[in-house]
Each structure stands twice: as C-alpha cells, then as structure tokens.
C-alpha cells in the first residue's frame, strides 16, 4: 500500500505497507500523543500528533506493523496534566486489569488498542442474500447460546468458534434458521454500578469501541475468529446481522467514566442548556448523531463491519436517537440520508428498534424506506390475546403485517419485524410460567425490568406445576409461535426459545453471566418434543408464507383477498371485533394458494364452517397437537379444540410434496 494523505484516511489507526496513520477529531485538547506498547504492555515510544484543519489531529509513523499496541495521551485546559484515552475507532482492543502483575494504571492505560490488518481469505464465500419473505431471524448471544452446549469442545463453548462449530451449524440448519441476529459483539465496558456489585454487563449494550470484536468471545485473535465465524455461517447459507449500539457509549452520564469522546469532543453528546448530559437512552448519555464528526465516525464503523467482516445487516438499538437533532426526530435526518446515499450501507438489511426514552421517542412506522422495524405492538397484542382477554380487533391487524405502520405496498423494502420474545423481557417458557418478574439477582430490589409482561403462569407461579398446567403451557407456547410464524412480516425468534429455556422469571438478565442466561441444551423429553415441533413449524411456514406475502403487495397478477368470518361463516360485525371470541381469517392468493386461520381462545371446542368455494382442505397446523402431521379435511366444517388454533391450506395433488408431515 502506498502512503496516503491524512485527508484520505479515516479516524483511528490505518495501516499501510510503510507504517501506520493515526487520526482523531478533537477540538477540546491542547496536546495529543500516541504511545506504543510491546506485547507485555510496556510503553516503548511516544509520538505527537499535529493539529490539522477542522480540529483533526494526525501523525504517520513508519515501520509499524499489525498488532502493535497503542493508546492516546492527552492534555486539556481543565483536566489533569495527562490523561489516557482509548481509540474509540479501534478495530481491536484489550482490557488491562488492574490486578495484572506489575501493571500501574496511573502510568499505564486501562485499555489498549491494536493496529489491525484486515486481510482475510474469504475462500470465495459470498453473502447468502436471503429474500426478506424467506428470512427467519434468530436472536442469539455469542457466549450465552453455546456456553452450556455439551456437544462442543470445552474451549470453544461461548466463543465465535463455538457458534460456527459443526454441531451448532447442524442445529441451525435443522431449525430452518436463515439469519442469526447477534447481540452486541463490539467491545464493551461494565457500568460502574455493576462493577460495584461484582456483576458484569453480559448483554454488551455499553460500547467502548464500536468496530472492535469483543475479546471475551475469542481464544486468541477476536478479529480473525469473528471473520471465520461469519465466513462459516455464510458457507452454510446463514446470514449474520449485528445488533449495534450507536445511541450512547460506555462513558455514562455526568460524573461517569472517561474513555474517549468526553475529553476529545464535548459536542459528541447531547446536552441541555446547563451543560448536563441528556439521557434519552437510559444509559446516562445520548450521542448527537447530527454532529458531523460523530456521524462520520458511526458511518466509518458500519462500513468496516460490512467491508471487513462481510456482515449482512444491522439491528440498531434505540434507533430513534439516530434520527434526532436535539429533541426532534426526522426520517430525513442526516444519518438516514447518509445511509441511503452510501452504496455499501444501503445494500444491507437495516432493522430499527423504533424508540428511545426521549421526547416523542416512540416512532414505530416512521423510519424511511429500506428500514424494517421491530414491532412491540405485535408482541403485546398477541400475548394479550392468548394469555389474557384482548379482543379480536387487537390482533387482527398484526396477523396481516401491521399495515397501519407497514403498508403492504411498501413490502419487501419495509416489513414489520414480528416477535413474541426478545432478549429483554420474559423468554417464551417464562411467559407461560410466571406472572411477575423475579429479578432479585440483579441487585436492584426487583425494581428493574419492565413490569408489564403480558404473561400468564396458567395457574401456578414458577416452573414446577401439575401435569395439567404443563400441558396448557405447552399449548400456549404453540399458539404463540404459530401466531408469530404465520403472521405476515419477518419473524424474529429468540434462540433460547428453541430450547424452552427459562431465566427463572428474570425479565432483565443483562447482568447475569451464568446459567440464567446460558441456554439450556440438556433438554427434557417435553422440551425436546417442543423443539422438534417448532423446527417443523418453521419448515411448514417456509412452504406457504412467501407466496402469500408476495400476493399481499398487490404487485402480482392476482392480488390477495381477505375475509374475516365468525365460526358460522358469516362476516364479522362490530360486536364480534370488540370481543375476545373464536374467529377465522381467509387469505386467498389464487386458486392454489390460500391460508385459512381458525382461532379459538375459548375454553370449549368450537366448530368452524369451511368456505364452500374450496371443497377440500389440508390441516397444516393444529396447536392442540404436540406434533405436526398434515391431514386432509373433506367435511364442511372443522373442530378447533379449546384454547388453540388451526391453519388450513387448499388440498391438491401436490399438497403432499410441499408439506413436511
């Protein structure tokens, strides 16, 4: 590589064949030095950066190669005489614990970054490019998902390598998972209140270096091991979406720790008229993404993940913050415009968590074209329907893709991301086993975590229950998963739910790096049967839903028609919509492709009249059964047992070949 001018390089460290560029933006400091370290963490050299135009600091150091440790040493007008800072743009970082023998945090930094060469053999492997209507998202934590898997070598459990081990890959393939959504893998720091309680931020939503894969998931080299994981998943047809946190950093609020931006550029964070940090994230600070250097830093990080790691997309935590200019949100903000105009970033999958806790923070449906959005209303209303007393009108729109927020004419560029469970909140098993949160282990007197879980323990609090309650719980799990997978939109599964994993009623296990969060792989016969049922359900979904979803857009030769009916076959009226009662929905794409949903939330069986226009049906799903077995229905009605649902499709000569029985 040839020497490049500082105006052509990004923030942080940039290696060339002749040495390394170091560049930071900082209007708030007086002097800036980069200090180099050897493999033992001992300082070996210091180089001053020069202030350039627009408050950019730069130095080129010849002879530096990859894996050279470095940190920045700065002086300011108001701070201490010298202060260590971590490169917020680093591609690899390492925490230097104070207990390290001979290590002095007064004269040495707590965090060291490393120069990184991104050369990697991708072996010709390309991104799978799964169509949205065929996408099955599965949210997993790199460590939590594999840490307790006995089928993995002990040294690979909880690592990038464990997530792409043949045993793990076989599980994903058997489950029909097309896309892993990884909880944050960028380097993080623990909040001060957790450190004081000897707890750790297990989830990782407290970033310290956005572009550096976390070393806690690697045995030696997190950069290479993370790339190997993604390459292996791609080779098996599985996409990778990263859950990314660009709404705040680990520097917390006023009085919190200082790692980089607080000292480098005070304009990085939103502040009020008194100069105090605005806290629209609940984490102490809120990044000002309208600040040009901050916007540039975020775009640089996103492009690094796509270009250097070949990721397939991003899920943006508290994404409303990204569209803010102070308290105002706009779908035409600088961030969204920059993404749209970037040929790299506009080509990957983009998912927004469409809220933060600031003013007008709830922006569901307001994100621009090209952005799918997490749909919490889908979760709340389906849970309320099956587990409580929500009326038909609460869930019917979500069955059809929540088109008030996500109109079908905007599909596939903008879908609802449907989910019943996410990393925050109850798991599926806990949703039917606990009425109340049980978060005492978090050390906050059970005050943390959302109090509104829309859960129902079916009669007994906790996992221990009678056989009758266990049976009802199993059926409700099947109701919720069937409602998820056969609603229009992109289904999002919590990976732990494939294992009936319980967090023992903890609905905010962000600081539980133990078997509360480590997914259970030692399944009971009941748990194993549910996993097999869910795996089959996903496969069944893939046989019919893509065609229906395409027909709903109105862009095909025969747009889909929809009928809402009572069990007797008459159209629903206002009184029917306002009640929690049995009902049916017929989606007719064409004469060969249709879905007929029969819902019975009542505690007694109900017979549904079947449309005479289609004289023969095949039962695809019956949630009263704990196994999937397609069966033909030749009579004019169908019995739906208590608190269950049935999905029918037209019977034809080809039915048997397209169904998994």
């Amino acid at each position: 590589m040839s020497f490049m001018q500082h105006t052509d390089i990004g923030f942080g460290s940039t290696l060339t064949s002749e040495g390394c560029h170091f560049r930071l933006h900082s209007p708030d400091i007086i002097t800036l030095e980069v200090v180099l370290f050897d493999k033992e963490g001992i300082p070996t050299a210091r180089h001053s950066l020069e202030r350039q135009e627009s408050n950019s600091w730069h130095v080129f150091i010849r002879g530096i190669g990859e894996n050279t440790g470095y940190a920045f040493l700065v002086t300011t007008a108001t701070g201490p005489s010298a202060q260590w800072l971590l490169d917020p743009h680093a591609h690899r970082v390492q925490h230097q614990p104070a207990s390290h023998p001979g290590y002095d945090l007064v004269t040495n930094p707590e965090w060291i970054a490393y120069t990184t060469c991104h050369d990697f053999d991708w072996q010709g492997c390309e991104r799978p490019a799964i169509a949205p209507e065929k996408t099955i998202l599965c949210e997993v934590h790199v460590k939590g998902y594999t840490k307790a898997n006995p089928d993995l070598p002990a040294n690979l459990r909880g690592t990038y390598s464990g997530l792409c081990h043949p045993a793990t890959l076989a599980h994903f393939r058997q489950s029909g998972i097309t896309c892993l959504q990884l909880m944050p893998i960028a380097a993080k720091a623990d909040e001060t209140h957790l450190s004081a309680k000897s707890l750790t931020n297990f989830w990782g939503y407290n970033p310290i270096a956005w572009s550096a894969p976390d070393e806690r998931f690697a045995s030696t080299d997190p950069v290479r091991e993370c790339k190997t994981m993604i390459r292996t998943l791609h080779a098996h047809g599985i996409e990778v979406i990263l859950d990314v946190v660009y709404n705040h950093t680990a520097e917390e609020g006023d009085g919190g720790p200082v790692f980089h931006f607080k000292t480098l550029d005070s304009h990085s964070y939103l502040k009020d008229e008194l100069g105090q940090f605005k806290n629209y994230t609940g984490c102490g600070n809120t990044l000002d993404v309208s600040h040009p250097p901050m916007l540039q830093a975020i775009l640089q990080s996103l492009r690094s993940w796509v270009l250097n790691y070949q990721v397939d997309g991003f899920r943006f935590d508290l994404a409303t913050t990204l569209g803010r200019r102070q308290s105002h949100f706009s779908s035409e903000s600088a961030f969204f415009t920059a993404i749209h105009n970037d040929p790299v970033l506009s080509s990957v999958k983009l998912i927004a968590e469409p809220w933060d806790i600031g003013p007008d923070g709830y922006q569901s449906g307001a994100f621009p074209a090209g952005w799918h959005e997490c749909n919490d209303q889908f979760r709340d209303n389906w849970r309320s329907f099956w587990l409580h007393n929500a009326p038909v009108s609460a869930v019917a729109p979500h069955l059809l893709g929540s088109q008030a927020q996500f109109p079908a004419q905007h599909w596939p560029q903008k879908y609802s991301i449907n989910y019943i469970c996410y990393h925050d909140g109850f798991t599926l098993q806990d949703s039917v086993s606990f009425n109340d949160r049980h978060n005492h282990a978090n050390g906050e007197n059970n005050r943390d975590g959302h109090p509104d879980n829309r859960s129902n323990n079916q009669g007994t609090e906790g996992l221990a229950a009678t056989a009758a309650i266990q049976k009802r719980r199993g059926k409700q799990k099947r109701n919720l998963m069937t409602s998820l997978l056969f609603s229009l939109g992109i289904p999002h599964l919590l990976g732990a739910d494939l294992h009936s994993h319980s967090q023992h009623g903890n609905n905010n296990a962000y600081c539980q790096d133990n078997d509360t969060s480590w997914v259970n792989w030692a399944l009971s016969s009941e748990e194993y049967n549910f996993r097999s049922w869910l795996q089959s359900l996903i496969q069944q979904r893939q046989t019919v839903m893509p065609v229906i979803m395409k027909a709903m857009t109105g862009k095909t030769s025969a747009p889909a028609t929809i009928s809402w009916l009572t069990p007797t076959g008459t159209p629903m009226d206002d009184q029917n919509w306002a009640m929690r009662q049995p009902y049916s929905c017929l989606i007719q794409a064409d004469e060969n492709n249709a879905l007929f949903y029969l819902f019975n939330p009542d505690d007694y069986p109900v017979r549904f009249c079947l449309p005479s226009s289609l004289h023969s049906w095949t039962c695809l799903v019956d949630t009263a059964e704990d196994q999937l077995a397609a069966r033909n229905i030749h009579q004019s009605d169908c019995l739906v047992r208590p608190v269950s649902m049935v999905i029918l499709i037209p019977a034809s000569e080809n039915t048997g070949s397209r169904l998994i029985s």
Side-chain angles (χ1 to χ4, degrees):
M1 298 174 65
S2 61
F3 182 87
M4 294 179 291
Q5 298 296 321
H6 68 271
T7 53
D8 298 324
I9 64 173
F11 294 134
S13 62
T14 304
L15 280 176
T16 76
S17 59
E18 301 172 354
C20 187
H21 294 270
F22 293 91
R23 180 185 172 221
L24 287 180
H25 174 83
S26 179
D28 296 343
I29 60 175
I30 298 175
T31 66
L32 174 59
E33 293 180 296
V34 59
V35 181
L36 306 182
F37 295 84
D38 62 18
K39 293 181 180 180
E40 284 70 41
I42 305 301
T44 60
R46 294 167 63 162
H47 299 266
S48 295
L49 280 73
E50 295 183 1
R51 188 190 293 267
Q52 309 291 326
E53 296 177 358
S54 302
N55 293 311
S56 177
W57 297 71
H58 173 262
V59 68
F60 177 78
I61 306 174
R62 294 188 179 276
I64 291 182
E66 63 178 316
N67 296 324
T68 299
Y70 70 95
F72 293 111
L73 196 61
V74 305
T75 61
T76 65
T78 58
S81 57
Q83 184 177 10
W84 287 111
L85 297 182
L86 174 69
D87 179 5
H89 318 286
H91 293 270
R92 181 181 174 187
V93 301
Q94 187 174 62
H95 186 235
Q96 306 294 316
S99 59
H100 182 67
Y103 207 83
D104 180 4
L105 290 181
V106 176
T107 56
N108 294 290
E110 182 181 2
W111 291 86
I112 292 179
Y114 289 88
T115 58
T116 303
C117 176
H118 280 293
D119 290 347
F120 184 75
D121 182 7
W122 288 96
Q123 299 177 354
C125 188
E126 298 181 354
R127 296 186 181 93
I130 306 296
E133 61 271 10
K134 295 182 179 180
T135 296
I136 305 292
L137 289 171
C138 182
E139 183 187 26
V140 299
H141 185 281
V142 169
K143 179 178 182 180
Y145 200 70
T146 63
K147 182 63 176 176
N149 187 350
D151 293 333
L152 301 183
N155 66 312
L156 297 185
R157 297 172 192 167
T159 67
Y160 301 117
S161 299
L163 200 63
C164 65
H165 185 274
T168 317
L169 290 168
H171 164 70
F172 289 137
R173 293 297 299 273
Q174 185 177 3
S175 300
I177 301 303
T178 71
C179 181
L180 293 186
Q181 181 176 298
L182 304 184
M183 292 175 66
I185 64 170
K188 59 89 182 180
D190 292 328
E191 294 90 334
T192 51
H193 77 274
L194 289 180
S195 298
K197 292 182 288 189
S198 299
L199 294 172
T200 184
N201 187 322
F202 176 69
W203 285 354
Y205 290 90
N206 204 45
I208 193 170
W210 290 317
S211 303
D214 202 315
E215 63 178 339
R216 62 189 170 133
F217 306 141
S219 56
T220 55
D221 184 348
V223 173
R224 183 163 294 276
E225 291 176 38
C226 182
K227 291 179 180 179
T228 301
M229 173 192 70
I230 295 171
R231 182 184 66 192
T232 306
L233 290 167
H234 281 177
H236 288 79
I238 300 173
E239 294 182 316
V240 176
I241 285 179
L242 300 186
D243 194 337
V244 289
V245 184
Y246 295 107
N247 56 76
H248 76 283
T249 72
E251 294 192 293
E252 302 179 25
D254 297 291
V258 176
F259 295 116
H260 33 59
F261 288 125
K262 274 185 176 178
T263 294
L264 291 172
D265 185 0
S266 60
H267 297 291
S268 297
Y269 299 104
L270 292 177
K271 296 183 179 181
D272 61 23
E273 59 276 3
L274 299 177
Q276 303 296 303
F277 284 95
K278 290 187 177 182
N279 186 15
Y280 295 164
T281 65
C283 302
N285 65 68
T286 306
L287 286 173
D288 185 358
V289 184
S290 67
H291 181 46
M294 180 53 63
L295 176 60
Q296 182 182 347
I298 293 173
L299 296 174
Q300 177 179 307
S301 173
L302 290 169
R303 287 175 61 89
S304 175
W305 285 113
V306 177
L307 296 174
N308 294 323
Y309 293 85
Q310 299 293 303
V311 302
D312 302 276
F314 303 96
R315 180 266 191 189
F316 292 85
D317 178 67
L318 301 183
T320 294
T321 298
L322 304 176
R324 284 191 181 277
R325 185 174 180 85
Q326 295 297 322
S327 60
H328 174 66
F329 172 87
S330 172
S331 62
E332 299 178 350
S333 71
F335 176 78
F336 298 129
T337 300
I339 294 287
H340 176 76
N341 292 333
D342 190 297
V344 172
L345 300 179
S346 62
S347 66
V348 300
K349 292 180 176 176
L350 304 170
I351 299 173
E353 183 182 40
W355 53 78
D356 63 16
I357 65 171
D360 297 322
Y362 192 76
Q363 294 290 336
S364 178
F367 282 70
W371 285 76
H372 310 300
E373 298 180 33
C374 301
N375 190 346
D376 61 324
Q377 297 177 46
F378 181 98
R379 171 201 62 196
D380 291 349
N381 284 290
W382 275 114
R383 283 194 186 186
S384 294
F385 178 78
W386 284 116
L387 303 180
H388 293 281
N389 293 299
V392 176
S393 60
V395 293
H398 301 299
L399 181 68
L400 299 184
S402 307
Q403 293 188 47
Q405 293 81 29
F406 312 101
Q409 63 263 31
H410 297 162
W411 300 352
Q413 287 77 26
K414 187 177 178 65
Y415 272 120
S416 166
I417 302 294
N418 300 330
Y419 64 97
I420 297 295
C421 300
Y422 232 93
H423 63 268
D424 52 347
F426 280 152
T427 64
L428 179 65
Q429 185 63 48
D430 287 354
S431 296
V432 299
S433 303
F434 295 90
N435 284 349
D436 303 307
R437 62 189 177 192
H438 296 266
N439 298 356
H440 299 87
N442 296 355
E444 299 181 39
N445 297 318
N446 205 36
R447 294 193 300 264
D448 63 305
H450 206 291
D452 181 11
N453 294 285
R454 314 289 174 99
S455 60
N456 188 323
N457 64 20
Q458 308 300 313
T460 298
E461 187 77 353
L463 299 179
T466 65
I469 289 177
Q470 296 285 26
K471 184 176 180 180
R472 189 176 180 94
R473 287 175 176 175
K475 183 163 59 173
Q476 289 287 36
K477 287 164 60 179
R478 294 192 293 274
N479 287 332
L480 291 166
M481 288 296 97
T482 303
S483 300
L484 168 64
L485 286 162
F486 284 85
S487 289
L488 306 182
I490 298 177
H492 169 286
L493 292 166
L494 184 63
D497 290 343
L498 283 158
H499 306 254
S500 297
H501 179 73
S502 170
Q503 294 180 168
H504 315 294
N506 192 324
N507 76 346
N508 188 35
Y510 77 105
C511 56
Q512 299 300 315
D513 189 0
N514 49 50
D515 60 6
T516 297
S517 301
W518 300 346
V519 170
N520 170 45
W521 288 80
L523 304 184
S524 66
S525 58
E526 182 181 7
E527 292 165 343
Y528 178 84
N529 289 338
F530 177 75
R531 184 174 72 178
S532 298
W533 175 89
L534 184 51
Q535 289 172 335
S536 297
L537 186 74
I538 292 171
Q539 295 178 59
Q540 297 284 45
R541 185 263 181 202
Q542 297 293 67
T543 65
V544 297
M545 291 300 290
V547 173
I548 298 295
M549 289 169 66
K550 287 183 177 180
M552 286 291 293
T553 65
K555 300 172 184 176
T556 60
S557 56
T561 60
I562 302 165
S563 302
W564 299 97
L565 305 169
T566 67
T568 60
T570 60
M572 297 273 285
D573 59 25
D574 290 344
Q575 184 177 5
N576 300 136
W577 285 111
M579 299 171 62
R580 181 179 185 265
Q581 66 163 48
Y583 74 102
S584 64
C585 177
L586 174 62
I587 303 178
Q588 184 80 47
D590 54 46
E591 61 182 11
N592 297 316
N593 293 283
L595 283 174
F596 194 23
Y597 302 80
L598 313 177
F599 296 93
N600 180 19
D602 289 345
D603 289 323
Y604 50 85
V606 175
R607 286 196 175 275
F608 285 77
C609 292
L610 304 183
S612 57
S613 58
L614 292 169
H615 58 83
S616 185
W617 294 88
T618 293
C619 178
L620 190 68
V621 183
D622 183 347
T623 62
E625 302 285 344
D626 61 6
Q627 293 184 347
L628 285 179
R631 66 178 187 274
N632 289 327
I633 298 174
H634 299 289
Q635 64 269 28
S636 60
D637 60 24
C638 178
L639 180 69
V640 181
R641 282 168 280 187
V643 194
S644 63
M645 64 180 290
V646 167
I647 298 179
L648 308 178
I649 62 173
S652 68
E653 295 181 359
N654 297 323
T655 296
S657 63
R658 68 176 179 174
L659 298 180
I660 295 104
S661 60

